Amino acid sequence: MWLVKPAAENQGRGIKLFKNGFEQLKAFLQSKPAGTYWIVQKYIERPLLYHGRKFDIRMWAVITWKQELYMHRAGYVRTSSDVYETSSEVNYVHLTNNCLQQYGNKYGAYEEGNTVSFEEFASYLKDEGIVVDFEENFMKRVKDLMIDSYLAAKFELNPNKRTNCFELLGYDFMIDEDLRVWLIEVNSNPYLGIPNKYIEGLLPKMVNDLFELVLDPYVTPANGSAPRNIPNQFELLYSDRKKVNKRRGFDAPLYPLALSLIHISEPTRLGMISYAVFCLKKKKKKK
Protein backbone atom coordinates (compact mmCIF):
# COMPACT_ATOMS: atom_id res chain seq x y z
CA MET A 1 0.00 0.00 0.00
CA TRP A 2 1.17 3.52 -0.84
CA LEU A 3 0.10 7.07 0.01
CA VAL A 4 0.41 9.95 -2.44
CA LYS A 5 0.18 13.52 -1.16
CA PRO A 6 0.31 16.88 -2.92
CA ALA A 7 3.47 18.61 -1.66
CA ALA A 8 1.84 22.02 -1.24
CA GLU A 9 -1.27 20.99 0.69
CA ASN A 10 -2.05 20.12 4.31
CA GLN A 11 -4.99 19.12 6.54
CA GLY A 12 -5.45 15.88 4.59
CA ARG A 13 -6.31 17.55 1.29
CA GLY A 14 -5.65 15.57 -1.86
CA ILE A 15 -4.25 12.42 -0.20
CA LYS A 16 -4.76 9.22 -2.18
CA LEU A 17 -4.30 5.63 -1.04
CA PHE A 18 -3.18 2.99 -3.55
CA LYS A 19 -3.40 -0.73 -2.82
CA ASN A 20 -2.85 -2.35 -6.22
CA GLY A 21 0.86 -1.85 -6.86
CA PHE A 22 2.72 0.80 -8.82
CA GLU A 23 0.79 0.83 -12.09
CA GLN A 24 -2.26 2.58 -10.68
CA LEU A 25 -0.02 4.97 -8.75
CA LYS A 26 2.08 5.77 -11.84
CA ALA A 27 -1.04 6.40 -13.92
CA PHE A 28 -2.31 8.81 -11.28
CA LEU A 29 0.94 10.80 -11.19
CA GLN A 30 1.23 10.86 -14.99
CA SER A 31 -2.23 12.40 -15.19
CA LYS A 32 -1.11 15.43 -13.15
CA PRO A 33 0.10 18.69 -14.76
CA ALA A 34 3.82 19.06 -15.37
CA GLY A 35 5.64 21.01 -12.70
CA THR A 36 3.44 19.86 -9.81
CA TYR A 37 5.06 18.11 -6.86
CA TRP A 38 3.81 15.02 -5.07
CA ILE A 39 5.09 12.97 -2.15
CA VAL A 40 4.95 9.18 -2.38
CA GLN A 41 5.12 7.33 0.95
CA LYS A 42 5.07 3.68 1.87
CA TYR A 43 1.98 3.07 3.95
CA ILE A 44 2.57 1.69 7.45
CA GLU A 45 0.29 -1.32 7.21
CA ARG A 46 0.88 -2.65 10.73
CA PRO A 47 0.65 0.33 13.07
CA LEU A 48 0.28 0.29 16.81
CA LEU A 49 -3.44 0.79 17.48
CA TYR A 50 -5.41 2.67 20.10
CA HIS A 51 -8.51 0.64 21.01
CA GLY A 52 -8.29 -1.02 17.59
CA ARG A 53 -8.05 2.28 15.69
CA LYS A 54 -5.21 4.19 14.05
CA PHE A 55 -3.66 7.21 15.69
CA ASP A 56 -0.81 9.62 15.18
CA ILE A 57 1.09 12.03 17.40
CA ARG A 58 1.07 15.78 16.75
CA MET A 59 4.01 17.82 18.05
CA TRP A 60 4.68 21.53 17.61
CA ALA A 61 8.10 22.89 16.68
CA VAL A 62 9.52 26.35 16.00
CA ILE A 63 12.38 27.36 13.76
CA THR A 64 13.78 30.86 14.33
CA TRP A 65 15.75 33.17 12.08
CA LYS A 66 18.79 32.32 14.18
CA GLN A 67 18.52 28.76 12.81
CA GLU A 68 17.41 27.34 16.12
CA LEU A 69 15.01 24.40 16.35
CA TYR A 70 12.69 24.15 19.34
CA MET A 71 10.15 21.44 20.21
CA HIS A 72 7.15 22.00 22.46
CA ARG A 73 7.19 19.16 24.99
CA ALA A 74 3.40 18.94 25.24
CA GLY A 75 1.74 17.36 22.20
CA TYR A 76 -1.30 15.17 21.74
CA VAL A 77 -2.59 12.00 20.12
CA ARG A 78 -5.11 12.16 17.24
CA THR A 79 -7.35 9.15 16.74
CA SER A 80 -9.32 7.64 13.89
CA SER A 81 -13.10 7.26 14.02
CA ASP A 82 -13.25 3.69 12.69
CA VAL A 83 -11.71 0.31 13.46
CA TYR A 84 -8.52 -0.23 11.49
CA GLU A 85 -8.62 -2.61 8.51
CA THR A 86 -6.24 -2.43 5.57
CA SER A 87 -9.07 -3.52 3.27
CA SER A 88 -11.21 -0.50 4.15
CA GLU A 89 -11.73 2.15 1.48
CA VAL A 90 -12.89 4.73 4.04
CA ASN A 91 -10.47 7.61 4.59
CA TYR A 92 -11.64 8.00 8.19
CA VAL A 93 -9.97 4.64 8.88
CA HIS A 94 -6.59 5.56 7.38
CA LEU A 95 -6.14 9.31 7.90
CA THR A 96 -6.20 10.82 11.38
CA ASN A 97 -6.11 14.52 10.46
CA ASN A 98 -8.60 16.37 12.64
CA CYS A 99 -9.56 18.56 9.69
CA LEU A 100 -10.71 15.40 7.90
CA GLN A 101 -12.08 13.39 10.83
CA GLN A 102 -14.42 16.17 11.95
CA TYR A 103 -16.62 15.54 8.90
CA GLY A 104 -17.09 11.84 9.67
CA ASN A 105 -20.31 10.44 11.15
CA LYS A 106 -18.40 8.89 14.07
CA TYR A 107 -16.34 11.94 14.95
CA GLY A 108 -16.16 12.21 18.73
CA ALA A 109 -17.88 8.84 19.26
CA TYR A 110 -14.90 7.41 21.16
CA GLU A 111 -12.89 10.43 22.31
CA GLU A 112 -14.03 14.03 22.48
CA GLY A 113 -12.60 15.71 19.41
CA ASN A 114 -10.78 12.47 18.49
CA THR A 115 -7.94 13.64 20.70
CA VAL A 116 -6.28 12.23 23.81
CA SER A 117 -3.40 13.39 25.99
CA PHE A 118 -0.06 11.64 26.29
CA GLU A 119 -1.06 10.63 29.82
CA GLU A 120 -4.22 8.90 28.57
CA PHE A 121 -2.27 7.19 25.82
CA ALA A 122 0.42 5.96 28.23
CA SER A 123 -2.31 4.67 30.56
CA TYR A 124 -3.86 2.70 27.68
CA LEU A 125 -0.51 1.10 26.81
CA LYS A 126 -0.05 0.12 30.45
CA ASP A 127 -3.52 -1.46 30.52
CA GLU A 128 -2.57 -3.42 27.40
CA GLY A 129 0.53 -4.75 29.12
CA ILE A 130 2.92 -2.65 27.04
CA VAL A 131 5.25 -1.21 29.64
CA VAL A 132 7.15 1.70 28.12
CA ASP A 133 8.61 4.98 29.26
CA PHE A 134 7.00 7.56 26.95
CA GLU A 135 9.91 10.00 27.22
CA GLU A 136 12.67 7.43 26.99
CA ASN A 137 11.17 5.07 24.40
CA PHE A 138 9.26 7.47 22.14
CA MET A 139 10.15 11.13 22.67
CA LYS A 140 13.90 10.69 22.24
CA ARG A 141 13.28 9.20 18.80
CA VAL A 142 10.83 12.03 18.03
CA LYS A 143 13.61 14.52 18.80
CA ASP A 144 16.07 12.62 16.59
CA LEU A 145 13.68 12.73 13.65
CA MET A 146 12.90 16.42 14.17
CA ILE A 147 16.59 17.28 14.10
CA ASP A 148 17.22 15.08 11.04
CA SER A 149 14.39 16.74 9.10
CA TYR A 150 15.57 20.21 10.10
CA LEU A 151 19.15 19.52 9.01
CA ALA A 152 17.92 18.08 5.71
CA ALA A 153 16.25 21.41 4.85
CA LYS A 154 18.44 23.78 6.85
CA PHE A 155 20.09 25.54 3.92
CA GLU A 156 16.79 26.00 2.06
CA LEU A 157 15.13 27.82 4.97
CA ASN A 158 14.85 31.61 5.07
CA PRO A 159 16.68 32.12 1.74
CA ASN A 160 16.35 35.93 1.96
CA LYS A 161 18.04 35.95 5.40
CA ARG A 162 15.22 37.85 7.06
CA THR A 163 15.75 38.66 10.71
CA ASN A 164 13.31 38.58 13.63
CA CYS A 165 11.12 35.92 12.04
CA PHE A 166 10.04 32.39 12.92
CA GLU A 167 7.83 29.56 11.70
CA LEU A 168 5.58 27.30 13.74
CA LEU A 169 5.42 23.74 12.38
CA GLY A 170 3.24 20.72 13.08
CA TYR A 171 5.14 17.42 13.12
CA ASP A 172 3.18 14.18 12.74
CA PHE A 173 4.51 10.82 13.91
CA MET A 174 3.25 7.25 13.96
CA ILE A 175 4.26 4.24 16.04
CA ASP A 176 4.23 0.81 14.45
CA GLU A 177 3.40 -2.50 16.11
CA ASP A 178 7.09 -2.97 16.96
CA LEU A 179 7.01 0.36 18.81
CA ARG A 180 9.23 2.12 16.28
CA VAL A 181 8.55 5.84 15.76
CA TRP A 182 8.13 7.11 12.18
CA LEU A 183 8.00 10.68 10.91
CA ILE A 184 4.95 11.01 8.64
CA GLU A 185 5.08 14.66 7.63
CA VAL A 186 5.93 18.22 8.65
CA ASN A 187 3.21 20.83 8.22
CA SER A 188 3.49 24.57 7.87
CA ASN A 189 0.36 26.39 9.05
CA PRO A 190 -0.55 23.64 11.55
CA TYR A 191 -4.11 23.21 12.79
CA LEU A 192 -4.79 25.35 15.87
CA GLY A 193 -8.44 24.50 16.44
CA ILE A 194 -9.95 23.51 19.78
CA PRO A 195 -11.70 20.12 19.44
CA ASN A 196 -11.99 19.36 23.16
CA LYS A 197 -11.31 20.53 26.73
CA TYR A 198 -7.79 19.14 26.75
CA ILE A 199 -6.71 21.19 23.72
CA GLU A 200 -8.61 24.17 25.10
CA GLY A 201 -6.19 24.12 28.03
CA LEU A 202 -3.09 23.13 26.05
CA LEU A 203 -3.25 25.50 23.07
CA PRO A 204 -3.15 28.85 24.95
CA LYS A 205 -0.18 27.62 26.97
CA MET A 206 1.68 26.68 23.78
CA VAL A 207 0.92 30.06 22.18
CA ASN A 208 2.03 31.88 25.33
CA ASP A 209 5.27 29.86 25.36
CA LEU A 210 5.74 30.68 21.67
CA PHE A 211 5.30 34.43 22.15
CA GLU A 212 7.59 34.40 25.17
CA LEU A 213 10.24 32.72 23.02
CA VAL A 214 10.01 34.72 19.80
CA LEU A 215 8.36 38.03 20.75
CA ASP A 216 9.20 39.00 24.34
CA PRO A 217 12.96 39.41 23.68
CA TYR A 218 12.14 42.16 21.16
CA VAL A 219 8.91 43.68 22.47
CA THR A 220 8.65 43.95 26.25
CA PRO A 221 5.16 43.00 27.47
CA ALA A 222 3.24 46.11 28.60
CA ASN A 223 2.45 44.58 31.98
CA GLY A 224 5.73 42.73 32.33
CA SER A 225 6.15 39.00 32.12
CA ALA A 226 3.42 37.05 33.88
CA PRO A 227 4.55 34.76 36.73
CA ARG A 228 4.95 31.15 35.57
CA ASN A 229 4.08 28.00 37.44
CA ILE A 230 6.13 25.88 35.02
CA PRO A 231 9.05 26.77 32.73
CA ASN A 232 8.58 27.47 29.03
CA GLN A 233 7.83 24.13 27.37
CA PHE A 234 9.74 24.86 24.16
CA GLU A 235 12.95 22.83 24.36
CA LEU A 236 15.94 23.83 22.26
CA LEU A 237 16.96 20.79 20.17
CA TYR A 238 19.49 22.29 17.79
CA SER A 239 21.47 25.51 17.48
CA ASP A 240 24.80 26.17 15.77
CA ARG A 241 25.24 29.45 17.63
CA LYS A 242 24.65 27.93 21.05
CA LYS A 243 26.38 24.67 20.11
CA VAL A 244 23.34 22.60 21.02
CA ASN A 245 22.59 19.30 19.28
CA LYS A 246 20.38 16.84 21.15
CA ARG A 247 20.39 14.19 18.46
CA ARG A 248 21.48 10.84 19.80
CA GLY A 249 24.15 8.78 18.12
CA PHE A 250 23.13 6.87 15.02
CA ASP A 251 23.72 3.64 16.89
CA ALA A 252 20.67 4.38 19.10
CA PRO A 253 18.25 1.42 18.78
CA LEU A 254 15.26 1.77 16.46
CA TYR A 255 13.42 -0.88 18.44
CA PRO A 256 12.92 0.77 21.85
CA LEU A 257 12.13 -2.50 23.62
CA ALA A 258 14.60 -4.76 21.85
CA LEU A 259 15.21 -6.74 25.03
CA SER A 260 11.50 -7.30 25.62
CA LEU A 261 10.50 -9.45 22.65
CA ILE A 262 6.99 -10.19 23.87
CA HIS A 263 5.44 -7.20 22.07
CA ILE A 264 7.42 -7.46 18.83
CA SER A 265 5.97 -9.07 15.72
CA GLU A 266 6.83 -12.71 14.97
CA PRO A 267 9.16 -12.22 11.95
CA THR A 268 11.08 -9.47 13.74
CA ARG A 269 11.25 -11.49 16.97
CA LEU A 270 12.68 -14.53 15.18
CA GLY A 271 15.21 -12.39 13.36
CA MET A 272 16.35 -10.77 16.59
CA ILE A 273 16.65 -14.12 18.35
CA SER A 274 18.71 -15.53 15.45
CA TYR A 275 21.00 -12.51 15.55
CA ALA A 276 21.41 -12.80 19.33
CA VAL A 277 22.33 -16.50 19.00
CA PHE A 278 24.83 -15.66 16.25
CA CYS A 279 26.46 -12.99 18.46
CA LEU A 280 26.69 -15.40 21.40
CA LYS A 281 28.35 -18.08 19.24
CA LYS A 282 30.79 -15.54 17.85
CA LYS A 283 31.65 -14.35 21.35
CA LYS A 284 32.31 -17.93 22.54
CA LYS A 285 34.64 -18.60 19.58
CA LYS A 286 36.72 -15.53 20.47
CA LYS A 287 37.21 -16.89 23.97
Side-chain angles (χ1 to χ4, degrees):
M1 295 172 63
W2 296 83
L3 278 175
V4 178
K5 307 175 181 181
E9 293 285 359
N10 59 7
Q11 300 182 348
R13 299 187 186 97
I15 297 178
K16 301 293 183 183
L17 179 64
F18 294 91
K19 300 180 181 181
N20 301 320
F22 283 104
E23 293 306 315
Q24 186 184 14
L25 187 156
K26 285 168 58 180
F28 173 81
L29 292 175
Q30 289 169 355
S31 70
K32 300 303 173 184
T36 57
Y37 292 90
W38 297 78
I39 298 169
V40 178
Q41 287 182 311
K42 183 69 182 75
Y43 186 84
I44 298 175
E45 298 176 29
R46 302 182 72 171
L48 183 66
L49 301 177
Y50 182 79
H51 293 289
R53 292 170 285 117
K54 276 189 72 174
F55 69 89
D56 70 6
I57 295 174
R58 164 55 61 91
M59 301 293 297
W60 290 299
V62 170
I63 296 175
T64 71
W65 67 277
K66 296 179 181 179
Q67 291 191 320
E68 296 173 337
L69 171 66
Y70 291 85
M71 178 197 78
H72 200 265
R73 295 187 183 93
Y76 58 97
V77 172
R78 306 184 301 182
T79 61
S80 167
S81 299
D82 289 278
V83 172
Y84 177 68
E85 295 178 350
T86 55
S87 59
S88 176
E89 301 289 340
V90 179
N91 275 348
Y92 300 117
V93 169
H94 300 287
L95 307 178
T96 52
N97 310 61
N98 192 277
C99 296
L100 170 73
Q101 290 286 335
Q102 64 183 328
Y103 296 109
N105 294 330
K106 295 183 181 179
Y107 181 68
Y110 302 101
E111 299 86 30
E112 183 185 9
N114 282 41
T115 302
V116 297
S117 68
F118 287 164
E119 291 76 16
E120 291 175 280
F121 176 66
S123 178
Y124 167 77
L125 294 181
K126 184 177 179 181
D127 291 343
E128 292 293 300
I130 304 175
V131 182
V132 293
D133 183 310
F134 195 87
E135 176 65 30
E136 183 69 25
N137 299 131
F138 296 143
M139 293 310 298
K140 286 188 176 181
R141 181 60 178 159
V142 163
K143 294 175 186 179
D144 289 346
L145 292 170
M146 279 190 170
I147 293 169
D148 288 348
S149 65
Y150 166 70
L151 293 177
K154 176 182 175 181
F155 296 106
E156 302 296 325
L157 302 174
N158 195 15
N160 297 322
K161 308 300 181 185
R162 296 177 60 189
T163 60
N164 303 329
C165 61
F166 69 93
E167 182 154 13
L168 177 69
L169 302 170
Y171 272 76
D172 296 334
F173 300 89
M174 283 184 62
I175 302 173
D176 68 18
E177 67 172 5
D178 294 332
L179 305 181
R180 293 176 297 179
V181 178
W182 298 86
L183 172 62
I184 303 304
E185 61 186 20
V186 185
N187 298 280
S188 58
N189 187 29
Y191 174 72
L192 296 179
I194 301 178
N196 62 15
K197 292 292 184 182
Y198 173 69
I199 302 299
E200 184 178 8
L202 176 63
L203 187 60
K205 294 176 183 176
M206 186 278 290
V207 172
N208 185 64
D209 287 345
L210 174 65
F211 286 170
E212 185 182 72
L213 179 68
V214 302
L215 188 60
D216 287 6
Y218 307 100
V219 181
T220 304
N223 299 322
S225 298
R228 300 185 62 92
N229 296 323
I230 58 173
N232 192 305
Q233 293 297 292
F234 273 105
E235 176 184 354
L236 180 61
L237 299 186
Y238 188 92
S239 169
D240 284 328
R241 295 187 185 192
K242 296 180 180 179
K243 301 187 184 304
V244 173
N245 182 358
K246 293 191 177 180
R247 206 222 186 272
R248 298 177 299 170
F250 286 92
D251 58 349
L254 296 180
Y255 293 89
L257 298 184
L259 298 179
S260 178
L261 303 180
I262 189 170
H263 300 300
I264 298 177
S265 62
E266 186 67 22
T268 302
R269 182 160 59 244
L270 292 175
M272 291 173 65
I273 291 172
S274 299
Y275 180 72
V277 171
F278 169 77
C279 290
L280 287 173
K281 288 182 177 179
K282 191 174 181 181
K283 189 174 181 181
K284 286 180 179 179
K285 286 182 179 179
K286 285 184 177 180
K287 289 182 178 179

